[in-house]
Every structure is written in structure tokens, then in C-alpha cells.
Amino acid sequence: MTTDFSTIQVAAAGGVLTITLNRPDVLNALNEQMSAELSAALRTAERDKRLRCVVLTGPGRAFCAGQDLRVVQERQAASDEPQAMDFGTLLRQRYNPIISRIRTLEKPVIAAVNGVAAGAGASLAFACDLCICARSAAFKMAFVRIGLVPDMGATLTLLRHVGHARAAELCFLGEQFPAEEALACGLVNRVVDDEQFEATVVDFAARLAAQPTRALGLTKRALNRAWTATLDDQLEYEAFLQDTAGKTADHREGVAAFVDKREAKFEGK
Ligand code: LHQ
């Protein structure tokens, strides 16, 4: 695995790939380099069969503060054009593929939100399958504060998670809200005391990495598809996926373990 990154850190252990956004001076804000490195790390997670779970996190007091606004300001200062930076191209070519990769990666991706997640940083967390927060963490749909629209899928993911009324309020006002509130509205899975945060994430990831990974990947496909499917479509799609899951070694092991009254030992195959 490439570890030659300057804006992220990656570490693999026990089938879990931990990706740590690492630009603490700017609260781990995204720039083009970070987007390229994050994409590369997610590609590694896709390809390496030994990796069975991904954790995305940040160091220190922030998860990610969204787009690096200093870069935006520098480009604007150097140009008279109304839009000094081509946001559409940046999103299409650099940032959106990260969200697509997270959603299509056939392994669970956990957002371990250690601190504030703002703008595209919140979008990144919402795109993950599961979200565990430190109690001191917070979210901020900061886009409106700088006259922009929520991006990197947040208009869809946030709406799905919390419904229209709350999504509209969060996006229109851009106010920071604590992890506890995110938990109360079903946006995240767990909020744990800061002292227990790391251990909880490690334990959660280890449990997911020991699951039948193929079945999880196929389940993720089904959940993705359910966003737009009719019931008839979904019934057929589940039957198609179940055919595949039914042929895996982990399925056989699960049935054998049940009959033998022992814990199943899944290999992710
Ligand atoms: C930052 C940033 C930051 C640079 C804190 N950049 N330095 C847009 C355009 C194009 C394409 C792609 O997508 C997008 C989508 C977006 O992401 S737009 C939204 C961009 N993000 C924001 O608007 C969030 C801006 N930051 C904040 O609102 C606050 O900093 C938060 C709520 C994250 C944290 O607040 P505090 O805990 O009070 O920290 P702070 O504001 O004092 O920040 C600490 C340092 O981090 C500070 O630098 P300094 O040198 O003074 O210590 C900030 O300038 C820097 N920083 N966010 N996005």
C-alpha cells in the first residue's frame, strides 16, 4: 500500500484501513492534494481483499472543515473573474468521485467524527455507512455562510437521514449543531465520551471487519439501490443479490456454525 501521502495518513491493521485526514493547521480542510490522496486510499481499500472495513477520521479537534477557503481566497485575490476557481470542475473531477467511491466500496465505511465537521467535511461524514461521534464533535452546514450550496451529496444524504424540514433548516441557517443533536435526529449512530471515542471506534471497526464482507458489500448495494427503487424492483434485486450471497464460503460457514452451536468464523469470502 502507498503510504507516501502528505495530507492524509493511512494505517492497516486487523483488516481495518484507517484513513486520517491530516492538515490540522486548517482543521483538515480539503484541497486538491487531499482529494487525490483520499481517492487513492479508497482505491486501495477497494482492491485489497485483506481490508474489510474502512475508518475515516481526523486528528485533534476537527474532523474536516470542508473546502480550504484560503485556497479559494488566494485564487480570488489573483483574478478579476466573477468565479476565480472552477468549482463545477473541481467537484466533478476531484471531490464527487470520493463520494461515489465511498458509496460503491463494497465494505463498510465508518466516519469517526472526532471533532467539528463543516461544509464538505459534513458531506463526507454523511456519505459514510455509519457515523460514530465524540461527544465534543459538531456539524455545520457552513456552505450558506459563504453563499454556496451544500455539495458532495449532502442535499441527498442529509435529506434522507433527517427529512426535509430539518435538512432545510440546517442548510438555510448553517448553524453549528452538536453531535447529540445529530444523534437525536438519526443522522449518526453513536455519540461516545471523548475518552472512550478511540476505543469505541476500534472495537466497532473490528466487529465490522469480522463480518461476512461479501454479504455486507451486497447489502450496501441493496441499500444504495433502495434510495430510488420501487418495491417490485427491490424485491427482484434482493433475489439477485441473495443468489450471489448464497454461493459464498461465509454463508456456508454461517449455516455450519449455527448448526454446530458455535461462533462463525467469517473470512470475507
Ligand atoms: C480553515 C477552514 C477552512 C481554511 C477553519 N479553510 N482554513 C466549496 C467550494 C468548492 C468546491 C468544493 O466544495 C465546497 C464546499 C465547502 O466545503 S464550502 C464550506 C467551507 N467550509 C467552511 O465554510 C467552514 C469554515 N470554518 C468554520 O466555520 C470554522 O472554522 C469551524 C466551525 C470549522 C471551526 O470553528 P472554530 O473551532 O472556531 O475554529 P477557527 O474558526 O478558529 O479555525 C481554526 C483555524 O482553522 C483558523 O486558522 P488560524 O490560522 O486563524 O488558526 C481557521 O482559519 C482555519 N480554518 N476552517 N475551511
Side-chain angles (χ1 to χ4, degrees):
M1 186 199 332
T2 310
T3 49
D4 192 16
F5 293 130
S6 60
T7 63
I8 63 172
Q9 290 175 342
V10 291
V16 178
L17 186 74
T18 301
I19 304 173
T20 306
L21 307 174
N22 193 29
R23 302 184 69 224
D25 294 353
V26 287
L27 305 187
N28 310 316
L30 281 163
N31 62 10
E32 292 183 46
Q33 180 72 15
M34 186 187 271
S35 71
E37 294 183 0
L38 191 47
S39 279
L42 290 167
R43 256 196 314 276
T44 300
E46 270 165 13
R47 289 177 186 161
D48 189 335
K49 290 192 166 31
R50 293 165 302 179
L51 298 171
R52 295 168 62 187
C53 177
V54 176
V55 173
L56 183 59
T57 194
R61 71 183 188 88
F63 176 74
C64 174
Q67 165 64 33
D68 187 329
L69 296 179
R70 292 184 190 176
V71 173
V72 175
Q73 207 273 329
E74 273 163 27
R75 303 251 180 110
Q76 285 170 349
S79 168
D80 293 332
E81 298 296 318
Q83 185 175 310
M85 229 173 135
D86 185 346
F87 289 161
T89 302
L90 182 63
L91 284 167
R92 288 185 194 98
Q93 294 186 352
R94 295 290 195 144
Y95 292 1
N96 290 351
I98 296 170
I99 302 300
S100 301
R101 268 187 205 289
I102 291 173
R103 293 302 331 135
T104 56
L105 181 61
E106 295 207 359
K107 299 169 187 183
V109 183
I110 304 173
V113 181
N114 52 301
V116 67
S123 310
L124 259 184
F126 301 157
C128 294
D129 297 300
L130 299 153
C131 189
I132 302 179
C133 298
R135 200 166 301 281
S136 62
F139 295 88
K140 183 176 176 181
M141 299 304 285
F143 310 87
V144 66
R145 300 278 176 133
I146 54 168
L148 293 180
V149 297
D151 59 17
M152 291 177 77
T155 52
L156 185 108
T157 50
L158 185 65
L159 181 76
R160 296 272 170 192
H161 293 321
V162 304
H164 183 269
R166 204 181 282 256
E169 182 177 335
L170 295 174
C171 293
F172 290 173
L173 293 179
E175 286 170 351
Q176 191 162 314
F177 57 102
E180 290 286 0
E181 191 178 323
L183 182 68
C185 65
L187 192 50
V188 306
N189 297 80
R190 303 264 195 289
V191 176
V192 293
D193 290 340
D194 290 13
E195 305 74 47
Q196 284 147 28
F197 174 68
E198 269 184 46
T200 304
V201 171
V202 168
D203 176 62
F204 212 77
R207 281 166 53 204
L208 286 167
Q211 293 288 93
T213 309
R214 294 287 311 285
L216 263 53
L218 297 170
T219 304
K220 185 162 166 174
R221 276 205 224 173
L223 291 172
N224 282 343
R225 171 99 164 224
W227 282 4
T228 54
T230 63
L231 179 60
D232 282 347
D233 286 347
Q234 196 67 5
L235 288 170
E236 176 47 38
Y237 194 53
E238 286 168 358
F240 164 74
L241 296 175
Q242 201 68 298
D243 248 347
T244 307
K247 292 175 186 133
T248 61
D250 279 344
H251 164 61
R252 279 179 174 261
E253 162 61 7
V255 174
F258 175 78
V259 172
D260 295 349
K261 299 191 186 301
R262 61 173 172 81
E263 272 301 300
K265 192 173 177 338
F266 296 120
E267 306 277 353
K269 293 176 187 157

